[in-house]
């Protein structure tokens, strides 16, 4: 039994040789930590991923040597999800849950917790101690190759869903690894291109989700990213890993690297990356040489060793290897997660749900109905225990009274597309409804590859438009890593956004199509009309090794609101087969002061004919803030189930940070606005109720005055005008009126105070005299604080 107190761990570390410490701070093979048999220190096993347990029998069972680890790792990263026959043979079957791009649309922390608990059960069954997820990098661009792994463009959703998943895993004895810290938002030259982000955007957007997840979920580990951040690799960025993560947020868990992300092992350890993964003999040699040469202090080394031991102890204390995992129950859960996350984007004239009695002739078109894309490609790719085929599930749901046909649609050339479209149109002529399964081009997204287009597969846009032009009732079912362009959007009757729905996606789609599931997902990322509307498009993907995040804090819906651009579908949008009313909003505070909390209360009523779930969203809109801020920002949400006619009161709490912005001039969060409008909404563009609350602005020391200060700043000091007037009267023998006239001339200048004054008085007033007066004003102001 490996069980020690913190002090005993420190004593254990003191017994280690320098080589043993270097071993402990490095992996063993591809997926384990090092064991030290002499001291009774066991190793632990970790593996990918965030939405399914990827257990490679060849990589994990091949021993602990690192000889072939890089080759195995590159094969893993470069795999494509559709290459199941090639890649899954050496991987144990596990539940492939909906990917982050769809789970994010659930806005459901309870479902995320249950999914985390199921992942933990499968890890325990396989003997895995640490699962390398969840990933919560901000979906700032839909082109990002790993956008499918992540939840949202907003830090509130990212943080809350990640925290729930983490708790579900760790409450059941399996550690989580929150990743990729930070700004891993593009796959283009991802290990060398620096994500250049201003500090305010980092604090308010890109780090905020991590901070929220760490505060609420307390992950056992955090994974540092491949990319540099503002010119310094994330693995050796002491500002990120030490100043922010440890000192700022108080994180006391372990930081491990992404696989082979470390460039300089001694520098990474000094910066805060405790564990180097996977094993690398050259990097271990670097670390050992640096320790022996005294280039790293022993306090840093020992602290990292203790954190590794603490992780090992947590994992070993909670392990239950070999317990059975109920994969069938998990498959049912994967269906539920997908069904409650799918987003009904459009539903004209109640085209959905389908009624087999009214529309008995159904034509299903597209290869995705038979061979569905259930997940993205890369290191997280999971070997699914079973896969629901959409067409099969549709047939099962429709019943014996329906005539259901399927036509594939897979074309390589424009000529072939025209012929295939004609064949579909002929088949559709005697159909009541056509359900088109469509997706973006395969192989051009996933780990290692950003998309370069938002377009669908060749011929799919033309097919959908042709069916609509022929007067067919068309339902489009979208499978995608993130948004796609939909030039036919206003021509079709209904659109379902399914993203990557996991192994239960086929049944989930059928349930939604036929109304057995009332859709209740809402978009967790905005869907632009065209690629050029993506925030930061003008600087994507960067040049000369620098990727400037030019949109700053205006990510996603914040950008579309600022620019008054209408997206194809806004953040938070999602339709239902029922309707909801919002009533009786109230706030429990009349004024927001520094440190204030506030709770908004609203009644939600199901005014339709079927049961459903509504996602209630709370946005905060600042009025006359001290710095430019987004028009509105999501700060709280709640998902509520209502039977027809039922009403429930929903409470949405707001915390002090929810009213603040990060001011780099103060290096802190500040409260500075005239007032706030609290908005209760169904989406970021569908505000149902609002209420204003006053704000008591935070006060700050005034800026220090100097002769180079602007006249407007100088005159903003309450005593400046009288003191300066008296000085000019005495120094230049002027009347009060003459002194005031000179100061009035100075007042409107855009130049520095002394430069402007000298235009009117020449060198008769030395700069040193003005400097002395202003310094005295500074001191008086400081005394009054």
């Amino acid at each position: 039994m490996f069980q020690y107190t913190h002090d005993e761990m420190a004593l254990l570390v003191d017994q280690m040789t320098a080589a043993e410490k270097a071993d402990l701070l490095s992996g063993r093979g591809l997926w384990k930590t090092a064991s030290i048999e002499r001291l009774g220190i066991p190793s632990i096993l970790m593996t990918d991923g965030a939405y399914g347990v990827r257990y490679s029998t060849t990589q994990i069972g091949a021993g602990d040597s690192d000889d072939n680890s890089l080759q195995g790792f590159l094969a893993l990263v470069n795999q494509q999800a559709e290459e199941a026959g090639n890649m899954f043979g050496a991987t144990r079957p596990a539940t492939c849950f909906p990917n982050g791009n769809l789970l994010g649309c659930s806005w459901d922390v309870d479902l995320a917790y249950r999914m985390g608990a199921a992942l933990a059960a499968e890890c325990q069954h396989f003997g895995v101690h640490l699962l390398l997820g969840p990933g919560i990098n901000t979906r700032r661009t839909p082109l990002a190759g790993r956008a499918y792994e992540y939840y949202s463009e907003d830090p509130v959703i990212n943080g809350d869903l990640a925290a729930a998943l983490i708790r579900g895993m760790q409450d059941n004895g399996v550690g989580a690894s929150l990743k990729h810290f930070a700004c891993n938002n593009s796959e283009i030259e991802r290990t060398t291109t620096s994500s250049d982000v201003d500090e305010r955007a980092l604090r308010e957007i890109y780090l905020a989700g991590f901070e929220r997840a760490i505060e609420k979920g307390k992950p056992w580990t955090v994974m540092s990213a491949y990319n540099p951040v503002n010119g310094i690799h994330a693995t050796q960025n002491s500002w990120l890993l030490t100043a922010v993560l440890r000192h700022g947020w108080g994180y006391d868990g372990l930081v491990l690297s992404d696989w082979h992300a470390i460039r300089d092992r001694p520098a990474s350890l000094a910066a805060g990356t405790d564990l180097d993964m996977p094993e690398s003999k050259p990097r271990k040699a670097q670390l050992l040489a640096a320790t022996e040469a005294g280039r790293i202090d022993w306090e840093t080394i020992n602290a990292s060793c203790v954190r590794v031991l603490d992780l090992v102890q947590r994992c070993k204390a909670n392990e239950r290897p070999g317990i059975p995992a109920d994969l069938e129950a998990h498959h049912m859960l994967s269906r539920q997660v997908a069904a409650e996350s799918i987003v009904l984007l459009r539903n004209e004239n109640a085209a959905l749900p389908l009624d087999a009695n009214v529309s008995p002739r159904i034509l299903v078109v597209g290869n995705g109905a038979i061979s569905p894309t259930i997940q993205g490609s890369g290191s997280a790719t999971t070997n699914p225990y079973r896969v629901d085929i959409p067409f099969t599930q549709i047939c099962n749901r429709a019943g014996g009274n329906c005539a259901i046909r399927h036509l594939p649609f897979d074309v390589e050339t424009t000529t072939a597309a025209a012929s295939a479209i004609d064949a579909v149109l002929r088949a559709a002529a005697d159909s009541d409804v056509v359900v088109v399964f469509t997706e973006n081009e395969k192989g051009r997204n996933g780990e290692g590859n950003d998309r370069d287009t938002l377009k669908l597969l060749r011929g799919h846009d033309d097919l959908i438009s042709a069916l609509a032009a022929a007067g067919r009732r068309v339902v489009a079912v979208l499978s995608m890593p993130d948004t796609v362009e939909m030039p036919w959007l206003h021509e079709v009757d209904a659109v379902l956004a399914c993203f990557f729905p996991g192994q239960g996606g086929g049944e989930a789609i059928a349930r939604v199509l036929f109304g057995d599931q009332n859709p209740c997902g809402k978009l967790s990322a905005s869907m632009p009309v065209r690629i050029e509307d993506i925030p930061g498009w003008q600087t994507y993907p960067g040049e000369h090794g620098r990727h400037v995040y030019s949109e700053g804090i205006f990510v996603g819906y914040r950008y579309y609101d600022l620019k008054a651009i209408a997206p194809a579908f806004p953040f938070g949008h999602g339709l239902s087969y029922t309707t909801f009313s919002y009533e009786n909003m109230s706030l429990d505070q009349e004024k927001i002061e520094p440190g204030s909390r506030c709770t908004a209360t609203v009644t939600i009523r199901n005014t339709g004919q079927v049961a459903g779930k509504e996602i209630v969203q709370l946005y905060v809109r600042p009025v006359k803030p001290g710095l430019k801020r987004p028009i509105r920002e999501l700060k709280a949400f709640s998902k509520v189930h209502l039977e027809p006619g039922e009403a429930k009161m929903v409470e949405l709490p707001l915390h002090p940070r929810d009213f603040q912005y990060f001011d780099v001039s103060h290096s802190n969060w500040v409260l500075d606005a005239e007032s706030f409008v609290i908005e209760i909404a169904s989406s970021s563009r569908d505000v149902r109720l609002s209420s204003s609350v006053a704000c008591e602005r935070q006060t700050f020391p005034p800026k220090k005055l100097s002769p180079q200060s602007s006249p407007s700043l100088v005159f903003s000091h309450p005593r400046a005008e009288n003191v300066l007037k008296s000085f000019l009267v005495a120094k230049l023998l002027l009347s009060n009126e003459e002194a005031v006239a000179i100061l009035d001339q100075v007042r409107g200048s855009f130049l520095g105070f002394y430069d402007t004054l000298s235009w009117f008085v020449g060198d008769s007033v030395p700069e040193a005299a003005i400097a002395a007066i202003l310094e005295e004003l500074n001191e008086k102001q400081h005394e009054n604080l």
Side-chain angles (χ1 to χ4, degrees):
M1 184 71 173
F2 188 75
Q3 192 71 39
Y4 295 91
T5 66
H6 182 84
D7 290 342
E8 289 170 340
M9 284 184 190
L11 292 174
L12 190 62
V13 171
D14 287 341
Q15 299 176 48
M16 295 180 190
T17 65
E20 287 172 334
K21 291 178 182 180
D23 272 346
L24 188 66
L25 299 178
S26 176
R28 180 67 52 84
L30 196 54
W31 300 110
K32 296 178 182 178
T33 61
S35 62
I36 302 177
E37 293 183 7
R38 182 179 72 86
L39 298 174
I41 299 171
S43 69
I44 59 171
L45 174 63
M46 61 193 78
T47 192
D48 284 311
Y51 58 84
V53 183
R54 187 197 172 279
Y55 188 103
S56 169
T57 54
T58 52
Q59 294 172 354
I60 293 173
D64 294 335
S65 170
D66 73 335
D67 294 341
N68 298 313
S69 68
L70 181 60
Q71 179 181 353
F73 167 68
L74 293 176
L76 160 69
V77 169
N78 293 328
Q79 69 177 303
Q80 294 295 313
E82 62 268 20
E83 296 174 352
N86 294 329
M87 295 306 301
F88 289 152
T91 307
R92 289 186 182 178
T95 305
C96 178
F97 285 97
N99 293 186
N101 56 4
L102 184 60
L103 177 62
C105 295
S106 74
W107 298 55
D108 193 323
V109 293
D110 294 330
L111 267 184
Y113 181 92
R114 291 172 58 197
M115 178 172 155
L119 290 170
E122 295 187 23
C123 284
Q124 293 281 17
H125 177 66
F126 294 144
V128 172
H129 301 96
L130 180 69
L131 191 63
L132 302 174
I136 61 166
N137 293 99
T138 303
R139 282 164 59 187
R140 66 177 290 261
T141 170
L143 297 173
R146 299 184 79 172
Y148 77 91
E149 292 185 45
Y150 307 139
Y151 301 139
S152 178
E153 68 189 22
D154 190 273
V156 171
I157 297 178
N158 283 333
D160 285 4
L161 290 185
L165 190 86
I166 289 165
R167 290 195 305 271
M169 290 169 55
Q170 295 183 169
D171 286 353
N172 290 277
V174 173
S177 190
L178 187 65
K179 63 184 185 181
H180 307 88
F181 194 64
C183 300
N184 190 172
N185 300 109
S186 174
E187 294 300 288
I188 297 177
E189 298 180 1
R190 60 175 167 164
T191 64
T192 57
T193 297
S194 174
S195 296
D196 288 358
V197 194
D198 69 80
E199 185 178 0
R200 185 178 174 197
L202 280 169
R203 297 281 192 169
E204 294 188 17
I205 303 293
Y206 297 99
L207 302 184
F210 284 93
E211 182 180 11
R212 195 175 181 102
I214 287 169
E215 179 182 359
K216 292 186 172 187
K218 296 179 173 51
W220 294 355
T221 73
V222 169
M223 182 189 292
S224 53
Y226 280 117
N227 53 284
V229 178
N230 292 328
I232 303 173
H233 272 87
T235 58
Q236 56 197 67
N237 192 314
S238 60
W239 180 82
L240 267 180
L241 301 179
T242 299
V244 174
L245 180 63
R246 294 214 184 275
H247 296 165
W249 301 346
Y251 180 67
D252 61 359
L254 178 129
V255 175
L256 73 159
S257 71
D258 205 339
W259 266 228
H260 292 295
I262 289 176
R263 297 297 187 86
D264 183 328
R265 181 55 181 135
S268 71
L269 182 65
T273 301
D274 302 303
L275 179 61
D276 175 10
M277 290 298 296
E279 182 178 12
S280 165
K281 291 178 181 177
R283 292 197 297 269
K284 274 200 289 189
Q286 287 177 13
L287 181 59
L288 186 58
T291 59
E292 292 175 342
R295 295 198 301 272
I296 304 179
D297 64 85
W298 285 107
E299 183 179 354
T300 298
I301 296 167
N302 293 343
S304 289
C305 287
V306 168
R307 283 192 280 267
V308 173
L309 293 180
D310 182 66
L311 174 66
V312 170
Q313 178 167 284
R314 287 188 186 189
C315 291
K316 299 301 287 186
N318 289 281
E319 68 179 353
R320 300 191 299 276
I323 66 166
D326 192 341
L327 295 184
E328 190 61 27
H330 294 172
H331 182 66
M332 298 301 111
L333 178 59
S334 74
R335 287 174 165 180
Q336 182 184 356
V337 175
E340 297 201 14
S341 303
I342 288 172
V343 183
L344 179 60
L345 295 176
R346 178 177 171 86
N347 193 25
E348 293 299 292
N349 301 314
L352 293 178
L354 299 176
D355 186 334
N357 295 318
V358 176
S359 305
R361 300 172 300 171
I362 301 173
L363 177 64
V364 179
V365 180
N367 293 18
I370 300 296
S371 301
T373 300
I374 65 169
Q375 61 182 318
S377 300
S379 57
T381 304
T382 303
N383 181 4
Y385 157 68
R386 56 181 284 197
V387 177
D388 289 336
I389 304 303
F391 182 69
T392 301
Q393 304 306 124
I394 288 171
C395 291
N396 292 341
R397 289 275 159 184
N401 294 329
C402 275
I404 304 180
R405 294 171 294 162
H406 174 260
L407 284 181
F409 190 86
D410 186 9
V411 297
E412 298 291 335
T413 66
T414 302
T415 302
S419 175
I421 290 171
D422 286 342
V424 173
L425 289 175
R426 289 193 297 272
D430 60 351
S431 299
D432 299 303
V433 62
V434 182
V435 180
V436 181
F437 282 76
T438 185
E439 56 191 299
N440 68 291
E441 185 172 340
K442 295 180 180 180
R444 298 180 71 178
N445 68 87
E447 187 165 2
N449 297 281
D450 277 12
R451 286 191 291 171
D452 57 11
T453 179
L454 297 182
K455 296 188 182 302
L456 298 175
L457 285 167
R458 182 190 298 274
H460 281 227
D461 286 330
D462 291 339
L463 167 67
I464 295 170
S465 291
L467 285 166
R472 299 299 93 195
R473 184 150 59 107
V474 180
V475 176
V477 178
L478 297 170
S479 174
M480 54 195 174
D482 208 318
T483 190
V484 293
E485 291 179 354
M486 294 172 269
W488 36 261
L489 175 61
H490 299 290
E491 304 165 15
V492 300
D493 298 275
V495 182
L496 289 179
C498 302
F499 296 95
F500 289 159
Q503 66 182 50
E507 168 65 10
I509 291 168
R511 289 180 186 176
V512 172
L513 286 174
F514 286 96
D516 298 293
Q517 169 70 48
N518 190 349
C520 57
K522 294 200 176 190
L523 292 177
S524 57
S526 307
M527 300 185 79
V529 173
R530 55 184 194 146
I531 196 171
E532 293 83 0
D533 290 341
I534 297 172
W537 168 250
Q538 71 274 22
T539 54
Y540 171 86
E543 298 173 341
H544 307 300
R546 318 287 298 203
H547 184 176
V548 178
Y549 287 31
S550 55
E551 72 275 26
I553 61 172
F554 296 98
V555 176
Y557 67 90
R558 294 164 170 84
Y559 174 84
Y560 297 115
D561 286 349
L562 175 73
K563 302 287 285 184
I565 295 173
F569 294 104
F571 174 82
H573 169 79
L575 302 177
S576 173
Y577 296 151
T578 190
T579 54
F580 301 96
S581 67
Y582 287 58
E583 307 165 4
N584 303 324
M585 176 186 177
S586 65
L587 303 176
D588 68 354
Q589 299 292 330
E590 295 182 353
K591 179 187 287 187
I592 301 301
E593 301 172 346
S596 285
R597 297 172 182 267
C598 177
T599 297
T601 304
V602 63
T603 297
I604 308 299
R605 188 182 307 277
N606 184 342
T607 55
Q609 303 302 310
V610 295
K613 292 184 178 181
E614 174 67 330
I615 297 168
V616 186
Q617 303 161 41
L618 185 152
Y619 296 85
V620 171
R621 179 157 60 90
V623 178
K624 295 184 180 178
L627 296 180
K628 192 166 188 176
R629 298 183 66 176
I631 291 174
R632 61 178 51 84
E633 295 184 277
L634 180 75
K635 297 299 179 182
F637 63 89
S638 180
K639 192 166 189 175
V640 55
H641 177 271
L642 295 165
E643 296 294 326
E646 184 182 8
K648 288 182 182 177
M649 187 173 70
V650 177
E651 290 187 350
L652 298 160
L654 292 169
H655 304 280
R657 175 72 67 82
D658 296 325
F659 299 99
Q660 298 172 323
Y661 61 84
F662 192 85
D663 190 333
V664 294
S665 69
H666 297 290
S667 295
N668 211 339
W669 295 89
V670 302
L671 178 67
D672 191 0
E674 181 181 276
S675 62
F676 296 97
V677 179
I678 311 302
E679 300 177 331
I680 306 295
S682 184
S683 81
S684 64
R685 293 288 176 97
D686 184 8
V687 176
R688 301 294 182 88
L689 297 170
S690 64
S691 183
S692 295
V693 60
C695 175
E696 180 182 308
R697 293 179 186 268
Q698 205 169 335
T699 57
F700 304 98
K703 293 182 179 178
K704 189 173 181 179
L705 303 179
S706 74
Q708 289 74 43
S709 296
S710 67
S712 63
L713 179 61
V714 171
F715 286 116
S716 70
H717 191 289
R719 298 182 61 244
E721 186 163 356
N722 285 334
V723 171
L724 290 165
K725 180 183 72 173
S726 299
F727 170 78
L728 292 178
V729 167
K731 179 72 175 177
L732 302 180
L733 304 177
L734 302 174
S735 67
N736 285 335
E737 291 76 13
E738 289 170 329
V740 168
I742 290 174
L743 292 177
D744 283 343
Q745 293 284 348
V746 174
R747 192 187 309 275
S749 172
F750 65 89
L751 300 174
F753 181 85
Y754 182 75
D755 286 342
T756 304
L757 179 64
S758 65
W759 275 98
F760 300 103
V761 301
D763 59 0
S764 58
V765 175
E767 183 175 352
I770 296 298
I773 291 171
L774 297 180
E775 183 57 33
E776 183 177 354
L777 290 172
N778 288 332
E779 292 174 0
K780 292 289 185 183
Q781 189 75 22
H782 182 75
E783 291 172 3
N784 293 333
L785 292 177

